[in-house]
DNA sequence: CGCTTTTGACCCGCGC
DNA sequence: GCGCGGGTCAAAAGCG
């Protein structure tokens, strides 16, 4: 952990770093994936498997893993200041969330399904991700003017849940949290899906994030220069969920 | 008609 | 024990 990083015992619920106001970043409460447009994956350790053009910013650090709750944090002396050394061309937007103390406790107790959260800069509250969801609740949460919506996967044998809420700090950002793992495939035809690049699941692949054209991530994601590893229509090779998201050359295990 | 959304009620864990 | 807050339930309404 780098110098100046607030201690984890700090109960603040999230950190936010944004360079150039770009589109998407993700963080996990179990494993972490972070980067603009879901470009980066850090499950196996910092920089593990990252494409050469996306070296991990120096201000991102990983905490020592506890038994079941790995947390990646950003090294900064202030949650509101852009840390020095951000390679802005590479890291157009980084937001790193940290799980709250309460969530950490739950994770350490091992009573929760793996959870996976990401932030999306979009005006659409409920992002299309290729699965069908049924809303089963909505709740006004403390310290936020925006309600939190609760969804369950409609598949009969799938108990994956999803929470969607807008960031109180930046209403343009939607925070989506998945809990559990799908036991089935997406319902959307592959031809209608944009596959998110370099998303590596080394363990407990949480879901297949799927962005449909004109939806979800927003114009910045669609307008930016595609990365070399990005593919919009790879033919599935029958290796399960990973194949829908990660080019085989990006994987190590 | 079947499925989804809405929304108030209820439950439960936690802190005081 | 009590209040608070988050999460879930379930009946009613809406929609295609």
């Amino acid at each position: 952990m780098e110098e100046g990083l607030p201690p984890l015992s700090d109960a603040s619920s999230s950190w936010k770093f944004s360079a150039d106001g770009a589109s998407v970043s993700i963080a996990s409460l179990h494993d972490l994936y972070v980067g603009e447009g879901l470009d980066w994956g850090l499950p196996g350790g910092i920089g593990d498997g990252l494409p050469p053009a996306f070296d991990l910013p120096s201000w991102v650090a990983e905490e020592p893993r506890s038994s079941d709750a790995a947390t990646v944090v950003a090294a900064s002396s202030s949650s509101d200041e852009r840390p020095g050394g951000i390679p802005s061309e590479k890291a157009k937007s980084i937001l790193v969330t940290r799980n709250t103390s309460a969530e950490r406790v739950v994770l350490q107790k091992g009573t929760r399904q793996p959870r996976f959260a990401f932030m999306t800069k979009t005006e659409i509250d409920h992002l299309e991700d290729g699965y069908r969801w049924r809303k089963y609740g909505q709740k006004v949460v403390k310290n936020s003017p925006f309600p939190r919506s609760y969804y369950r996967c409609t598949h009969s044998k799938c108990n994956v849940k999803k929470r969607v809420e807008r960031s109180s700090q930046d209403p343009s950002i939607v925070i989506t949290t998945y809990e559990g793992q799908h036991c089935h495939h997406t319902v959307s035809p592959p031809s209608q899906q944009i596959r998110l690049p370099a998303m590596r699941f080394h363990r407990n692949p949480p879901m297949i994030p799927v962005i449909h054209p004109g939806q979800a991530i927003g114009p910045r994601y669609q307008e930016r220069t595609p990365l070399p590893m990005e593919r919009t229509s790879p033919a599935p090779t029958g290796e399960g969920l990973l194949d829908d998201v990660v080019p085989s050359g990006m994987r190590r295990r």
Side-chain angles (χ1 to χ4, degrees):
Chain A
M1 191 181 295
E2 294 191 25
E3 189 178 347
L5 188 68
L8 258 188
S9 56
D10 176 5
S12 64
S13 60
S14 68
W15 294 342
K16 172 183 169 184
F17 300 104
S18 181
D20 299 338
S23 55
V24 175
S25 66
I26 49 179
S28 171
L29 304 181
H30 203 94
D31 299 321
L32 179 80
Y33 310 87
V34 62
E36 179 195 1
L38 311 182
D39 288 332
W40 300 352
L42 310 177
I46 291 300
D48 180 29
L50 292 178
F54 275 74
D55 290 333
L56 190 70
S58 61
W59 49 273
V60 176
E62 184 177 33
E63 283 195 331
R65 289 175 183 245
S66 60
S67 59
D68 67 346
T71 304
V72 177
V73 297
S76 169
S77 57
S78 166
S79 62
D80 292 322
E81 288 180 320
R82 175 176 163 175
I86 293 182
S88 59
E89 310 117 1
K90 297 177 181 177
K92 289 183 178 178
S93 174
I94 304 295
L95 298 96
V96 177
T97 63
R98 54 197 301 208
N99 43 331
T100 65
S101 58
E103 288 168 334
R104 209 171 300 129
V105 168
V106 168
L107 284 171
Q108 286 168 355
K109 285 179 180 177
T111 56
R112 284 270 192 184
Q113 296 275 353
R115 289 204 285 174
F116 176 90
F118 64 92
M119 299 181 181
T120 307
K121 198 176 183 83
T122 173
E123 295 184 2
I124 301 170
D125 285 337
H126 189 195
L127 304 178
E128 179 61 57
D129 60 5
Y131 292 95
R132 294 185 63 196
W133 301 92
R134 174 163 37 239
K135 189 175 186 178
Y136 67 90
Q138 178 171 304
K139 193 80 174 176
V140 174
V141 294
K142 196 182 176 186
N143 297 326
S144 175
F146 307 103
R148 175 182 295 165
S149 297
Y150 300 89
Y151 297 88
R152 226 191 301 267
C153 182
T154 59
H155 192 277
S156 58
K157 293 181 180 178
C158 182
N159 62 350
V160 176
K161 295 172 189 173
K162 175 178 171 179
R163 285 193 327 219
V164 177
E165 62 185 299
R166 285 208 170 267
S167 168
S168 59
Q169 296 171 347
D170 185 349
S172 67
I173 292 178
V174 172
I175 303 170
T176 306
T177 305
Y178 293 88
E179 184 172 328
Q181 300 176 52
H182 291 284
C183 59
H184 57 99
H185 295 289
T186 60
V187 298
S188 299
S191 61
Q192 296 180 5
Q193 298 176 2
I194 288 180
R195 288 152 196 281
L196 299 172
M199 193 73 174
R200 289 162 33 85
F201 302 132
H202 80 123
R203 180 179 67 171
N204 295 329
M207 83 299 296
I208 304 173
V210 177
I211 309 301
H212 290 261
Q215 294 185 327
I217 298 298
R220 285 193 65 108
Y221 178 79
Q222 295 169 27
E223 288 169 8
R224 68 187 177 82
T225 303
L227 297 168
M229 75 295 297
E230 290 187 20
R231 301 289 184 272
T232 55
S233 58
T237 56
E239 292 185 27
L241 296 176
L242 275 172
D243 255 50
D244 282 345
V245 198
V246 184
S248 57
M250 293 293 297
R251 277 180 267 143
R252 289 186 193 165
R253 39 191 118 139

